[in-house]
Amino acid sequence: MVARPARLTPPVECVRLYDAEAQLDGVIAIHSTAFGPGAGGCRFWSYPDADSALADALRLAEGMSYKNALADLPFGGAKAVLRKPAGDYDRAALFRAFGRVVEGLGGLYVTAEDVGTTVADMQEIAGVTRHVAGLPPAKGRAGGDPSPWTARGVFESMQAAAGFALGRDLAGLTVAVQGTGHVGAELCRHLADAGAKLVIADPDPVRRDRLRAILDAQVVGVDEIATVEADVFAPCALGGALARDTVAALKARLVCGAANNQLATPDVADLLHERGVAYVPDYVANAGGIISVSAEYLGEGPAEVAERVAAIAPRVAALLERAAREARSPALVADEMAEEVIADAQRRAAA
């Protein structure tokens, strides 16, 4: 899971997580509190060592700062990364131990679902801290699994980007979707409803084949999906999908997906631009999930979530138009925009 290095100030705080009895091992990285508490999901994954978990947490936390800033949310950026134990473990005890650390931060960090975690995990955390979202929704309130909102935002971003970069809507276009988890599968459903042709890949054959049967999708290998004949490539798995060799072989003319940290190295953004591939920066397109989490934590309802998610696609269109006008990569333009917003908030806070 590699991605661009951090460019702003160092994290506000990095909290090492370790509880031998609960088999908790990981880190909370709080990158920015310029707008409020650091907000970002809790990732639960099989990292080979503590250093790789820390590196991923730092990159993901920075991405959350950028995402929350451009989505105009009253939160900074943060991320928790937990290492999945190799053997048997008590999942509930592990997440309660994590929740106790979140509670000890006194509201500096707000957690929610991410890769590998569920609503049930958030309920365990909620037993020991109130600084958690992604819980079953109360009547009239936002809540629940935020992944459908993420998928909706990515789908609408792709629609806007296809109109700008390809001059047409998604009907009849071939979209290659890498990863059919919660977000990827929901995105595929939206795409099928819009008349797109689907090519999918996922290491889990059960969920991949279920989706193929339902949506009449073509299945290819995980190592093929990025370079198949397609109009759009949608990375919806883990980070680093866009490496130099992948981009060199990319046939799609538009990249828009849900995965975080899609660029394996910063220079890949330039290579996409040089090849004439339109790229929608991940943290702009995939903000629907954190928008839902934010609304839930603030006590808002689904209407507020829908309104903010509906603003993602116009933001994408404006970004692509500015990047084209300035003859620069959308990734660089989006980074600058987010950094300007965060720096301005930091200046105001220091005044």
Side-chain angles (χ1 to χ4, degrees):
M1 295 181 213
V2 290
R4 55 185 173 74
R7 287 179 299 282
L8 291 178
T9 55
V12 171
E13 189 164 349
C14 243
V15 181
R16 180 76 169 91
L17 306 169
Y18 187 75
D19 184 322
E21 184 177 354
Q23 293 185 267
L24 172 67
D25 184 8
V27 64
I28 298 171
I30 302 171
H31 180 268
S32 168
T33 55
F35 294 100
C42 173
R43 180 163 294 197
F44 191 48
W45 196 251
S46 299
Y47 292 89
D49 51 52
D51 286 344
S52 60
L54 172 62
D56 206 31
L58 292 171
R59 288 188 289 259
L60 290 165
E62 184 201 49
M64 290 306 304
S65 287
Y66 285 33
K67 185 184 302 188
N68 293 343
L70 289 186
D72 196 25
L73 299 177
F75 292 95
K79 205 78 168 185
V81 162
L82 311 184
R83 296 178 67 195
K84 189 174 183 179
D88 293 335
Y89 63 97
D90 184 334
R91 189 177 182 110
L94 188 154
F95 280 99
R96 285 195 299 270
F98 168 66
R100 287 192 288 272
V101 179
V102 173
E103 175 64 16
L105 291 172
L108 190 63
Y109 168 56
V110 178
T111 195
E113 288 98 327
D114 196 76
V115 174
T117 55
T118 66
V119 171
D121 297 327
M122 298 306 111
Q123 289 177 290
E124 291 293 344
I125 295 167
V128 292
T129 183
R130 67 181 182 85
H131 304 297
V132 56
L135 301 166
K139 186 176 181 180
R141 298 272 290 272
D145 180 3
S147 62
W149 290 109
T150 305
R152 180 185 292 190
V154 173
F155 169 70
E156 292 178 359
S157 295
M158 192 183 296
Q159 282 184 311
F164 178 82
L166 307 180
R168 54 178 295 183
D169 60 25
L170 293 170
L173 293 183
T174 299
V175 183
V177 181
Q178 179 190 53
T180 58
H182 292 300
V183 176
E186 186 70 12
L187 174 62
C188 285
R189 295 183 186 100
H190 284 303
L191 290 168
D193 288 344
K197 301 173 185 176
L198 293 171
V199 183
I200 62 174
D202 194 291
D204 184 335
V206 175
R207 67 186 185 191
R208 178 200 66 200
D209 291 345
R210 183 185 300 121
L211 202 62
R212 172 174 57 181
I214 295 171
L215 302 180
D216 192 29
Q218 177 188 348
V219 170
V220 299
V222 174
D223 58 345
E224 302 173 69
I225 188 67
T227 56
V228 297
E229 290 286 350
D231 300 291
V232 185
F233 174 48
C236 296
L238 297 176
L242 297 170
R244 289 192 64 85
D245 56 347
T246 303
V247 171
L250 193 69
K251 297 180 179 65
R253 292 178 291 154
L254 169 62
V255 175
C256 179
N260 290 311
N261 294 337
Q262 293 171 16
L263 303 179
T265 52
D267 60 304
V268 172
D270 295 325
L271 182 57
L272 285 164
H273 181 61
E274 290 165 8
R275 291 205 60 218
V277 178
Y279 173 60
V280 180
D282 44 60
Y283 59 82
V284 182
N286 68 12
I290 193 63
I291 287 171
S292 174
V293 165
S294 169
E296 178 186 350
Y297 193 71
L298 297 172
E300 297 175 338
E304 286 85 354
V305 179
E307 182 179 357
R308 292 191 189 113
V309 171
I312 295 174
R315 191 176 299 126
V316 166
L319 169 64
L320 293 178
E321 288 167 5
R322 174 176 164 180
R325 189 169 60 249
E326 297 176 1
R328 294 197 297 154
S329 163
L332 299 180
V333 174
D335 285 355
E336 286 183 8
M337 291 169 62
E339 288 162 5
E340 288 166 4
V341 170
I342 295 169
D344 182 59
Q346 290 171 335
R347 282 192 296 270
R348 284 187 278 108

